Each structure stands twice: as structure tokens, then as C-alpha cells.
Amino acid sequence: MSCRSNLSSWQALEQSAANLKQQKLKSLFAQDDQRFDKFSCQIPGLLFDYSKQLIDEDAFSHLISLVEEVNLDAWRKKMFCGEKINFTEDRAVLHTALRNRSGSSVMVDGEDVMPAVQTELDKIKHFTEKVRSGEWTGYTSKAVKDIVAIGVGGSNLGPQMATEALKAHTDDKLNVHYVSNVDGVQLADVLNKVDPETSLFVISSKTFTTSETMTNANSAVKWFLNSAKSEAAIEKHFVAVSTNLQKTRAFGIADENVFTMWDWVGGRFSLWSAIGLPISLYLGFEVFSDILAGAYEIDEHFKNAPTSQNIPIIMALLSVWNTSFLGYKAQAILPYDQALHMLPAYLQQGEMESNGKSVAFDGRTVEYTTVPLIWGMTGINGQHAFYQYLHQGNNIVPADFIASVKPQKVVDKHHDILLSNFFAQTEAMMAGVDEQQVRKDLAEKGIAQEKVEQLIAHKIHQGNRPTTSMILDTVDAKAVGRLIALYEHKIFCQGILLEICSFDQWGVELGKGLASAIEAELTQDNVHHEHDSSTNGLIAYYKQRR
Ligand code: F6P
């Protein structure tokens, strides 16, 4: 496997980056009135505009060559065909099989996984209908009113993000509450609001060993038994999503109430599996199914669109370009749509848990920065929090701006005001305000010359801050599916471009192991491990005062 920096496209890109760092985006727009047409594309339901990224045709052609040189096409085929591209865990990567609508088989270890996928989807559908119709009843024969979804990381973020994105579409049949934090405040808060007779707990954990989830699940059972008094009642109020039948049985959940997934579904890519059960219960199976349909559209686009029009590939290329070549080490995700307020948190796990690594496929340390730090919040709130940094800070942070043409709810002129901000911000970040303009503005306001000289440097905006704008038709189930799948494939492409194994998460395992050792020190007498003096001091401080 050749080192990426030895590739001719990589070297050409280093040269392009050196040239483009001297360029102003504003001038690139002034020189070419076709720039928007050249650097934007549309697919059903989405406009993708990357013309405000610091690229030119030359750099873009080298990026396309990089895709060819790393043989992305072969890797893409391997992923869709079920080859074990997660080689450190010896697993296939097949979240695409969960939304495969083509009717064709997908083989893993000589077996077609599609019948099992369909069986599980049918099970989700039937269970959803039973619960939502009131046919499924609790230990006092009452219908379910509240779903309490317990899980963490990929077993929480996807369903919760999609629920938040689509809650405007609820028919109000059920409420859903998510509990992910082992801080008991979150669970206590939810349990305060729900009634044990009408609550259904969905315990989502691929492994069924994750300490935070099992702690919350056990406390929920204890709370439930305080009222129900009989362990036999558990099966009517607790279901699980897991691959670990041994553990779900030990927990007291009947096998027929366990929804399965497979080791070829990574946690942060599991929303499409039964991990999405809370979405289906809350919004109905049709909505869940539409999310999958939206994602399948993107799978087809990703497989078939030419590289220069392939949105997830372009997203990955721009990320690599900004991070590894231009040296911008962070990226903001800025949804101008309240429904997408959890998208930054979701993508933090998606991108950073997947590609926040520094070792290449063959084990050597890579010589470039891999993925950026992902952060953000809804754009409007961000404007009043951290946009000062985006406009005038001395670190440049490329940003994805996401909005929709039609709001989920029309309230007077709110959406036009929201979108005015969306358009204004990307324009301002691109163009900035130069000295001449600042002088003109201050002169027009009649500001005294002495004051002008004092203000001038403070009011100049350098601009040249790269942004991508995505405009969805509206935030509905298909759009949510499309958006998530775009980012998923972007993450896969980034991994290939950067030679990073995107589908393991060894870095998370380290902290888990250390925490369980320290937990014994906090909860058992006479257990003491040697730590550094800081950790010893912190533990002692806590133990003395708790
Ligand atoms: O954060 C680490 C991680 O392993 C994620 O990848 C996963 O989504 C999460 O923990 C939860 O794991 P589980 O579903 O096994 O409880």
C-alpha cells in the first residue's frame, strides 16, 4: 500500500494548496460568473453548493484524481458487497443492507443477510402496530403511553436526533423519552414524568454490556418493580435491541421481545437497524421506513453518480482538502433548522469516532492531519455565541450550512428571516469586509477621522472562510435519511482517502476499561489502584467529601 503523500495527485494538491492559500474567494467569484454552476449539484430533495470553498478547477481535478489513485471505487464495492473492510475487528460494514430496496442479495460469509434484515423489519412493524394501536398492554392491562429509550452513543444519538428532527410529524399517540447519561438526574427526571403501568422501556445496546446503559436499565427495572411487585410483569414493559441474547435473557427479557442486529452494523451506523425502534414506535413504521428509503436513494447516488457529481465523495474530498492540505483543523456543522438541532452532536460521533485516528491501514503513523474537530449548533443560536470566532478568529473553521426551503411549521415570516441569516452568513464569511469598505461605511456614518483610525483594524473581516451550503426541500423523513446517509458515505470516503480504518473505536475502549477499575475503588472497601498523583488526589478528594 503506497503512502498517500507519495501519490502524484497528493503532491499536485500540495502545490494547489500553496497557490490557493494566496487567493481570495471573493476574487475567484469575481473572475468567474459560472462559479456557482461549476461547484454545485442537485439531486432530488437537495441542493449542494460548495462554490464558497477555497478550490479552483485545477485543485478539483487533482481531488478527483486522488479518488482514482486510492481506488475508492474498489473499496466502495467491497463495502456494499459485504467484504470485511473493518479488518481490525474482522467485520463487514453493511449498514447499507439495512435499507437495501434493490431486491438483490447481500452476502456475508456465504450467506445472504437480506432475509434476516426483512424479518427484523417485519418484527419492528408488527410490534410498532401492536403498541401504537393499544393491543400491547402492560401488567394492569393498560395501553402504553410513554416509550423510555435507554442507550448511549450510537444506540442513542441516531434515534434521538431523528426523533427531534421529525417530532413535528408526530400523531401524538405516544411520548418518547431518551436516557443516555449515567448521571442519575436524567433517568430520575424521566421516571418522574411517566407511569410504570403505561411505560415501555426499550433497552438498546448492541453488546448489552455497556456500563452506563446497564446501570440505567437496572435502575429502571428497580423503579418499575417498586410498583409492579412481580418480576413476571417485566416482559410486558421491557424490550431490548441487542446482539447478545445471553445477556438479554439474564436481564429477564423474553427472546421474542429482543430485536436483533448484527456484528456488521457499527454502533454509530445503526439507526437503520432495530436501534431505530423508538423512532418507529413514536412516529409510526411508515415514517421509519421513509427514513430508510431516503438513505437508500443516497446509496444509489453514491454507487452510481460520476465522481465529479457525487455528493458524499465531494464532501469527503473537501474535508481532506481543508484539513490535510489547507491546515484547517476544525469544522462547524450549522443547521438553520431547529429540527436538526441534534445533528452536530450526531455527526461528532459519526466522524470523530470513525476517523479521529492517526494510524494508517498498515499500522504506520500518518504524516498528515486526519479529520477535523467537529462542532456546532443551530446557526441562529451559534450566531449569538461563537460566530465572532468564525468571522474574525485567527483559526479558520470551514462550515457546513444546512437549511430547508419549506419550514416544518409556517409562522408568519420567521422562515424568511431565518434564511436571510443563512444566506448572509455564508456571503459574509466568503467576502469579508476590506479596509476600503470599512472606511466608506464609517465615513457615511460621520465618524470622526481619529475614531475611524482607531476602529479600522477591528472592523476589517478578512473573509475567505470556506463554507458549503446544503438546502433541503423540507425536513421530512426522507430528507433525514438522505442527510444522514450523505454524511455516512462521506465518513467512509474520508477513511479511504486518509487510509484510516473508520469502523473500529479502540480509543473509546481504553477509557471504558480504566473507568471500571476506578469504579471498584469508589464502590468497594479496600480496593486501591496506583495512579498518578493527580488522579490519586482527585479520587481522595471525592471520597472524603461525598
Ligand atoms: O462509544 C463507544 C461505543 O462502542 C459506540 O460505538 C456505541 O455506539 C456505544 O458505545 C454503545 O454501545 P452498545 O450499543 O454496545 O451499548
Side-chain angles (χ1 to χ4, degrees):
M1 183 97 36
S2 80
C3 185
R4 293 297 186 242
S5 51
N6 290 336
L7 299 175
S8 59
S9 55
W10 193 278
Q11 287 165 6
L13 282 164
E14 281 173 340
Q15 189 54 52
S16 296
N19 297 340
L20 275 157
K21 275 184 200 165
Q22 312 303 319
Q23 288 275 356
K24 285 273 182 196
L25 264 169
K26 198 176 169 184
S27 317
L28 295 176
F29 272 98
Q31 285 157 23
D32 182 2
D33 59 6
Q34 303 293 303
R35 190 169 167 86
F36 171 76
D37 296 331
K38 281 181 189 155
F39 298 117
S40 67
C41 37
Q42 287 183 40
I43 55 173
L46 180 93
L47 166 69
F48 179 76
D49 169 26
Y50 58 105
S51 57
K52 292 195 187 88
Q53 292 283 346
L54 191 57
I55 50 162
D56 59 11
E57 284 170 88
D58 201 40
F60 192 64
S61 73
H62 297 316
L63 288 168
I64 300 295
S65 305
L66 178 63
V67 171
E68 281 152 24
E69 277 199 280
V70 303
N71 210 352
L72 183 77
D73 183 40
W75 283 99
R76 178 173 45 193
K77 285 188 179 121
K78 285 182 195 182
M79 177 172 77
F80 277 96
C81 293
E83 269 194 48
K84 296 192 175 173
I85 60 169
N86 175 1
F87 61 88
T88 64
E89 296 181 311
D90 198 28
R91 291 176 183 170
V93 175
L94 272 181
H95 42 280
T96 50
L98 301 168
R99 57 215 191 196
N100 171 22
R101 311 253 152 147
S102 69
S104 52
S105 50
V106 180
M107 309 299 285
V108 177
D109 290 330
E111 205 180 307
D112 181 10
V113 300
M114 287 316 299
V117 168
Q118 193 52 52
T119 303
E120 216 48 37
L121 274 175
D122 291 342
K123 187 168 167 177
I124 295 171
K125 182 170 188 270
H126 293 138
F127 184 67
T128 298
E129 284 164 2
K130 263 183 159 178
V131 173
R132 286 171 62 79
S133 67
E135 187 189 333
W136 178 283
T137 54
Y139 73 100
T140 54
S141 304
K142 290 186 183 163
V144 172
K145 282 193 192 144
D146 289 278
I147 306 297
V148 182
I150 297 179
V152 72
S155 297
N156 158 259
L157 280 166
Q160 191 173 5
M161 184 270 289
T163 298
E164 287 295 311
L166 296 171
K167 68 182 177 196
H169 298 269
T170 178
D171 54 11
D172 287 326
K173 279 206 167 121
L174 296 172
N175 304 312
V176 66
H177 315 266
Y178 287 89
V179 178
S180 54
N181 200 328
V182 75
D183 184 339
V185 169
Q186 198 186 20
L187 180 67
D189 185 41
V190 170
L191 296 183
N192 242 331
K193 292 182 200 143
V194 301
D195 178 346
E197 294 179 40
T198 54
S199 294
L200 177 71
F201 291 83
V202 180
I203 316 297
S204 299
S205 175
K206 184 174 163 183
T207 53
F208 231 68
T209 57
T210 302
S211 150
E212 298 92 323
T213 298
M214 297 328 297
T215 305
N216 280 324
N218 285 319
S219 297
V221 169
K222 205 165 151 194
W223 170 86
F224 172 74
L225 288 176
N226 255 340
S227 304
K229 310 285 184 214
S230 154
E231 294 208 349
I234 290 178
E235 67 174 27
K236 294 195 166 267
H237 292 266
F238 284 79
V239 300
V241 183
S242 185
T243 53
N244 194 338
L245 269 184
Q246 235 178 341
K247 294 274 181 198
T248 53
R249 276 179 203 142
F251 188 86
I253 298 179
D255 282 6
E256 66 266 26
N257 295 338
V258 178
F259 295 81
T260 200
M261 54 199 286
W262 303 271
D263 74 354
W264 41 262
V265 184
R268 52 194 174 273
F269 303 94
S270 62
L271 154 76
W272 328 97
S273 71
I275 290 289
L277 180 64
I279 308 171
S280 179
L281 289 168
Y282 176 54
L283 294 165
F285 184 77
E286 289 295 307
V287 174
F288 181 58
S289 183
D290 276 352
I291 300 177
L292 304 193
Y296 176 66
E297 281 177 26
I298 297 302
D299 294 341
E300 290 298 292
H301 166 80
F302 179 47
K303 277 199 280 192
N304 301 317
T307 305
S308 62
Q309 297 288 311
N310 198 306
I311 298 175
I313 298 182
I314 297 171
M315 288 166 80
L317 286 171
L318 292 172
S319 171
V320 172
W321 169 246
N322 281 329
T323 311
S324 310
F325 291 93
L326 297 180
Y328 306 147
K329 296 201 167 58
Q331 191 197 341
I333 306 289
L334 307 170
Y336 278 70
D337 201 309
Q338 184 58 27
L340 298 176
H341 74 97
M342 277 195 66
L343 189 68
Y346 176 77
L347 293 178
Q348 267 175 345
Q349 191 204 19
E351 190 158 323
M352 291 164 76
E353 193 166 276
S354 299
N355 291 332
K357 298 165 188 169
S358 46
V359 168
F361 295 148
D362 63 3
R364 64 176 206 287
T365 302
V366 296
E367 64 280 19
Y368 39 77
T369 306
T370 53
V371 290
L373 168 79
I374 300 288
W375 58 288
M377 62 163 70
T378 56
I380 288 292
N381 294 335
Q383 282 178 213
H384 296 275
F386 54 76
Y387 273 40
Q388 167 61 41
Y389 183 100
L390 296 185
H391 284 288
Q392 288 188 308
N394 56 7
N395 286 316
I396 290 186
V397 181
D400 282 1
F401 279 69
I402 304 160
S404 47
V405 178
K406 294 200 174 73
Q408 285 183 331
K409 285 204 167 85
V410 178
V411 183
D412 298 327
K413 298 256 177 261
H414 285 226
H415 202 63
D416 284 343
I417 296 168
L418 177 69
L419 271 280
S420 320
N421 280 276
F422 173 89
F423 299 126
Q425 289 295 336
T426 66
E427 187 174 24
M429 284 189 196
M430 182 276 287
V433 188
D434 61 16
E435 182 175 340
Q436 206 186 351
Q437 185 64 42
V438 176
R439 282 191 187 281
K440 190 166 163 272
D441 293 346
L442 293 176
E444 277 169 14
K445 286 185 184 141
I447 310 272
Q449 193 54 34
E450 199 185 335
K451 189 73 187 165
V452 168
E453 296 309 323
Q454 186 198 44
L455 283 179
I456 203 96
H458 297 278
K459 295 197 66 127
I460 289 172
H461 290 60
Q462 298 297 343
N464 240 21
R465 320 247 148 179
T467 60
T468 292
S469 299
M470 290 190 228
I471 305 187
L472 318 174
D473 284 353
T474 189
V475 179
D476 60 12
K478 277 197 177 175
V480 169
R482 286 187 199 113
L483 193 60
I484 303 170
L486 281 173
Y487 277 101
E488 280 184 347
H489 291 319
K490 170 206 173 182
I491 289 164
F492 161 77
C493 295
Q494 268 176 330
I496 303 305
L497 293 165
L498 297 167
E499 271 198 279
I500 294 290
C501 181
S502 306
F503 300 102
D504 55 26
Q505 56 284 315
W506 302 108
V508 186
E509 309 302 330
L510 170 68
K512 281 188 194 170
L514 287 177
S516 71
I518 293 179
E519 189 183 316
E521 288 183 70
L522 302 186
T523 53
Q524 293 167 34
D525 294 335
N526 303 324
V527 180
H528 177 73
H529 300 301
E530 259 324 299
H531 305 279
D532 57 87
S533 64
S534 163
T535 310
N536 282 335
L538 292 166
I539 292 173
Y541 181 90
Y542 170 69
K543 284 174 91 167
Q544 274 160 19
R545 284 166 177 75
R546 66 182 165 179

